[in-house]
Amino acid sequence: MSNILAGLFEHHSDYKQLETDLENSGFKSSDYIVYLNDSNHNSQYLASVAVKDHEQAENVRRIFNQNIALKTFLFENMSLEQTHYQKLKDLIHARNRADIHNSPGVKIKSSNSGIDSAEVKF
């Protein structure tokens, strides 16, 4: 079974260029799906590509990055026939909730001379 590499794209990214880049790289139109929201032409869109190995996945990642992908997701042991829009959206949402986001930097003040009078509060 193949793996699926999905990408979330910015609204100003041209999905036709993405399709052209994928096909010029050796993928057939049956190897990928671009999910568009017809009600709003300025919305983000999602694309999924069936990849067979690590080399193909890296090639697709490169193409996604050239076409302004906001984020990519690899789903293992999934075929293109199983990639319905709502299912992918739910899986991406679950992964995003599970990610540990970076916390702001914490500064630790260390003192080698003890507490001075400015740090003592009454």
PDB file of all heavy atoms in Angstrom, residues 20-36:
ATOM      1  N   THR A  20       0.704  21.099 -12.681  1.00  0.00           N
ATOM      2  CA  THR A  20       1.705  21.058 -13.756  1.00  0.00           C
ATOM      3  C   THR A  20       3.043  20.554 -13.222  1.00  0.00           C
ATOM      4  O   THR A  20       3.687  19.700 -13.844  1.00  0.00           O
ATOM      5  CB  THR A  20       1.870  22.459 -14.378  1.00  0.00           C
ATOM      6  OG1 THR A  20       0.607  22.883 -14.892  1.00  0.00           O
ATOM      7  CG2 THR A  20       2.900  22.455 -15.489  1.00  0.00           C
ATOM      8  N   ASP A  21       3.461  21.075 -12.060  1.00  0.00           N
ATOM      9  CA  ASP A  21       4.730  20.651 -11.471  1.00  0.00           C
ATOM     10  C   ASP A  21       4.726  19.166 -11.120  1.00  0.00           C
ATOM     11  O   ASP A  21       5.722  18.469 -11.334  1.00  0.00           O
ATOM     12  CB  ASP A  21       5.050  21.485 -10.226  1.00  0.00           C
ATOM     13  CG  ASP A  21       5.387  22.928 -10.551  1.00  0.00           C
ATOM     14  OD1 ASP A  21       5.618  23.240 -11.748  1.00  0.00           O
ATOM     15  OD2 ASP A  21       5.410  23.756  -9.622  1.00  0.00           O
ATOM     16  N   LEU A  22       3.613  18.678 -10.586  1.00  0.00           N
ATOM     17  CA  LEU A  22       3.516  17.254 -10.249  1.00  0.00           C
ATOM     18  C   LEU A  22       3.605  16.394 -11.507  1.00  0.00           C
ATOM     19  O   LEU A  22       4.318  15.390 -11.538  1.00  0.00           O
ATOM     20  CB  LEU A  22       2.224  16.965  -9.490  1.00  0.00           C
ATOM     21  CG  LEU A  22       2.172  17.445  -8.044  1.00  0.00           C
ATOM     22  CD1 LEU A  22       0.758  17.339  -7.486  1.00  0.00           C
ATOM     23  CD2 LEU A  22       3.139  16.663  -7.174  1.00  0.00           C
ATOM     24  N   GLU A  23       2.888  16.783 -12.543  1.00  0.00           N
ATOM     25  CA  GLU A  23       2.884  16.004 -13.773  1.00  0.00           C
ATOM     26  C   GLU A  23       4.236  16.069 -14.490  1.00  0.00           C
ATOM     27  O   GLU A  23       4.683  15.086 -15.067  1.00  0.00           O
ATOM     28  CB  GLU A  23       1.733  16.443 -14.665  1.00  0.00           C
ATOM     29  CG  GLU A  23       0.396  16.021 -14.085  1.00  0.00           C
ATOM     30  CD  GLU A  23      -0.811  16.471 -14.871  1.00  0.00           C
ATOM     31  OE1 GLU A  23      -0.653  16.966 -16.017  1.00  0.00           O
ATOM     32  OE2 GLU A  23      -1.923  16.338 -14.335  1.00  0.00           O
ATOM     33  N   ASN A  24       4.895  17.223 -14.433  1.00  0.00           N
ATOM     34  CA  ASN A  24       6.233  17.341 -15.036  1.00  0.00           C
ATOM     35  C   ASN A  24       7.255  16.511 -14.266  1.00  0.00           C
ATOM     36  O   ASN A  24       8.299  16.162 -14.809  1.00  0.00           O
ATOM     37  CB  ASN A  24       6.681  18.796 -15.080  1.00  0.00           C
ATOM     38  CG  ASN A  24       5.945  19.595 -16.129  1.00  0.00           C
ATOM     39  OD1 ASN A  24       5.341  19.037 -17.039  1.00  0.00           O
ATOM     40  ND2 ASN A  24       5.977  20.910 -15.991  1.00  0.00           N
ATOM     41  N   SER A  25       6.941  16.196 -13.023  1.00  0.00           N
ATOM     42  CA  SER A  25       7.843  15.403 -12.191  1.00  0.00           C
ATOM     43  C   SER A  25       7.564  13.904 -12.313  1.00  0.00           C
ATOM     44  O   SER A  25       8.196  13.101 -11.636  1.00  0.00           O
ATOM     45  CB  SER A  25       7.695  15.861 -10.744  1.00  0.00           C
ATOM     46  OG  SER A  25       8.708  15.351  -9.956  1.00  0.00           O
ATOM     47  N   GLY A  26       6.608  13.520 -13.155  1.00  0.00           N
ATOM     48  CA  GLY A  26       6.361  12.108 -13.411  1.00  0.00           C
ATOM     49  C   GLY A  26       5.102  11.543 -12.782  1.00  0.00           C
ATOM     50  O   GLY A  26       4.798  10.365 -12.959  1.00  0.00           O
ATOM     51  N   PHE A  27       4.341  12.343 -12.066  1.00  0.00           N
ATOM     52  CA  PHE A  27       3.090  11.866 -11.481  1.00  0.00           C
ATOM     53  C   PHE A  27       1.962  12.012 -12.494  1.00  0.00           C
ATOM     54  O   PHE A  27       1.900  12.979 -13.246  1.00  0.00           O
ATOM     55  CB  PHE A  27       2.746  12.657 -10.209  1.00  0.00           C
ATOM     56  CG  PHE A  27       3.689  12.386  -9.076  1.00  0.00           C
ATOM     57  CD1 PHE A  27       4.775  13.196  -8.848  1.00  0.00           C
ATOM     58  CD2 PHE A  27       3.483  11.295  -8.239  1.00  0.00           C
ATOM     59  CE1 PHE A  27       5.658  12.949  -7.813  1.00  0.00           C
ATOM     60  CE2 PHE A  27       4.349  11.036  -7.197  1.00  0.00           C
ATOM     61  CZ  PHE A  27       5.444  11.860  -6.990  1.00  0.00           C
ATOM     62  N   LYS A  28       1.081  11.020 -12.512  1.00  0.00           N
ATOM     63  CA  LYS A  28      -0.089  11.070 -13.379  1.00  0.00           C
ATOM     64  C   LYS A  28      -1.216  11.773 -12.630  1.00  0.00           C
ATOM     65  O   LYS A  28      -1.194  11.866 -11.404  1.00  0.00           O
ATOM     66  CB  LYS A  28      -0.516   9.661 -13.772  1.00  0.00           C
ATOM     67  CG  LYS A  28       0.535   8.928 -14.597  1.00  0.00           C
ATOM     68  CD  LYS A  28       0.080   7.550 -14.933  1.00  0.00           C
ATOM     69  CE  LYS A  28       0.394   6.694 -13.730  1.00  0.00           C
ATOM     70  NZ  LYS A  28       0.201   5.306 -13.844  1.00  0.00           N
ATOM     71  N   SER A  29      -2.216  12.218 -13.348  1.00  0.00           N
ATOM     72  CA  SER A  29      -3.347  12.894 -12.701  1.00  0.00           C
ATOM     73  C   SER A  29      -4.097  11.950 -11.757  1.00  0.00           C
ATOM     74  O   SER A  29      -4.763  12.400 -10.837  1.00  0.00           O
ATOM     75  CB  SER A  29      -4.299  13.481 -13.740  1.00  0.00           C
ATOM     76  OG  SER A  29      -4.828  12.449 -14.549  1.00  0.00           O
ATOM     77  N   SER A  30      -3.930  10.650 -11.951  1.00  0.00           N
ATOM     78  CA  SER A  30      -4.571   9.684 -11.056  1.00  0.00           C
ATOM     79  C   SER A  30      -3.774   9.469  -9.769  1.00  0.00           C
ATOM     80  O   SER A  30      -4.226   8.764  -8.869  1.00  0.00           O
ATOM     81  CB  SER A  30      -4.762   8.350 -11.773  1.00  0.00           C
ATOM     82  OG  SER A  30      -3.504   7.835 -12.189  1.00  0.00           O
ATOM     83  N   ASP A  31      -2.581  10.087  -9.667  1.00  0.00           N
ATOM     84  CA  ASP A  31      -1.733   9.948  -8.479  1.00  0.00           C
ATOM     85  C   ASP A  31      -1.964  11.046  -7.454  1.00  0.00           C
ATOM     86  O   ASP A  31      -1.364  11.013  -6.376  1.00  0.00           O
ATOM     87  CB  ASP A  31      -0.251   9.969  -8.866  1.00  0.00           C
ATOM     88  CG  ASP A  31       0.154   8.756  -9.681  1.00  0.00           C
ATOM     89  OD1 ASP A  31      -0.474   7.690  -9.506  1.00  0.00           O
ATOM     90  OD2 ASP A  31       1.098   8.882 -10.482  1.00  0.00           O
ATOM     91  N   TYR A  32      -2.780  12.033  -7.768  1.00  0.00           N
ATOM     92  CA  TYR A  32      -2.987  13.138  -6.826  1.00  0.00           C
ATOM     93  C   TYR A  32      -4.416  13.659  -6.904  1.00  0.00           C
ATOM     94  O   TYR A  32      -5.127  13.441  -7.880  1.00  0.00           O
ATOM     95  CB  TYR A  32      -1.993  14.279  -7.079  1.00  0.00           C
ATOM     96  CG  TYR A  32      -2.153  14.967  -8.403  1.00  0.00           C
ATOM     97  CD1 TYR A  32      -3.025  16.048  -8.557  1.00  0.00           C
ATOM     98  CD2 TYR A  32      -1.429  14.562  -9.515  1.00  0.00           C
ATOM     99  CE1 TYR A  32      -3.177  16.675  -9.774  1.00  0.00           C
ATOM    100  CE2 TYR A  32      -1.559  15.192 -10.730  1.00  0.00           C
ATOM    101  CZ  TYR A  32      -2.439  16.252 -10.857  1.00  0.00           C
ATOM    102  OH  TYR A  32      -2.590  16.873 -12.062  1.00  0.00           O
ATOM    103  N   ILE A  33      -4.801  14.355  -5.837  1.00  0.00           N
ATOM    104  CA  ILE A  33      -6.108  15.014  -5.766  1.00  0.00           C
ATOM    105  C   ILE A  33      -5.879  16.408  -5.201  1.00  0.00           C
ATOM    106  O   ILE A  33      -5.167  16.573  -4.214  1.00  0.00           O
ATOM    107  CB  ILE A  33      -7.095  14.256  -4.853  1.00  0.00           C
ATOM    108  CG1 ILE A  33      -7.333  12.838  -5.343  1.00  0.00           C
ATOM    109  CG2 ILE A  33      -8.419  15.012  -4.741  1.00  0.00           C
ATOM    110  CD1 ILE A  33      -8.156  11.977  -4.392  1.00  0.00           C
ATOM    111  N   VAL A  34      -6.486  17.409  -5.827  1.00  0.00           N
ATOM    112  CA  VAL A  34      -6.480  18.767  -5.303  1.00  0.00           C
ATOM    113  C   VAL A  34      -7.907  19.074  -4.866  1.00  0.00           C
ATOM    114  O   VAL A  34      -8.836  18.974  -5.662  1.00  0.00           O
ATOM    115  CB  VAL A  34      -5.996  19.786  -6.362  1.00  0.00           C
ATOM    116  CG1 VAL A  34      -6.072  21.202  -5.819  1.00  0.00           C
ATOM    117  CG2 VAL A  34      -4.581  19.458  -6.812  1.00  0.00           C
ATOM    118  N   TYR A  35      -8.058  19.413  -3.590  1.00  0.00           N
ATOM    119  CA  TYR A  35      -9.376  19.698  -3.015  1.00  0.00           C
ATOM    120  C   TYR A  35      -9.563  21.205  -2.977  1.00  0.00           C
ATOM    121  O   TYR A  35      -8.871  21.910  -2.257  1.00  0.00           O
ATOM    122  CB  TYR A  35      -9.478  19.145  -1.595  1.00  0.00           C
ATOM    123  CG  TYR A  35      -9.131  17.680  -1.485  1.00  0.00           C
ATOM    124  CD1 TYR A  35      -7.821  17.280  -1.208  1.00  0.00           C
ATOM    125  CD2 TYR A  35     -10.105  16.712  -1.654  1.00  0.00           C
ATOM    126  CE1 TYR A  35      -7.503  15.943  -1.103  1.00  0.00           C
ATOM    127  CE2 TYR A  35      -9.789  15.363  -1.554  1.00  0.00           C
ATOM    128  CZ  TYR A  35      -8.483  14.989  -1.277  1.00  0.00           C
ATOM    129  OH  TYR A  35      -8.158  13.666  -1.176  1.00  0.00           O
ATOM    130  N   LEU A  36     -10.525  21.701  -3.760  1.00  0.00           N
ATOM    131  CA  LEU A  36     -10.799  23.134  -3.825  1.00  0.00           C
ATOM    132  C   LEU A  36     -12.148  23.424  -3.183  1.00  0.00           C
ATOM    133  O   LEU A  36     -13.075  22.622  -3.260  1.00  0.00           O
ATOM    134  CB  LEU A  36     -10.840  23.608  -5.274  1.00  0.00           C
ATOM    135  CG  LEU A  36      -9.572  23.408  -6.097  1.00  0.00           C
ATOM    136  CD1 LEU A  36      -9.828  23.780  -7.547  1.00  0.00           C
ATOM    137  CD2 LEU A  36      -8.435  24.227  -5.530  1.00  0.00           C
TER     138      LEU A  36
END
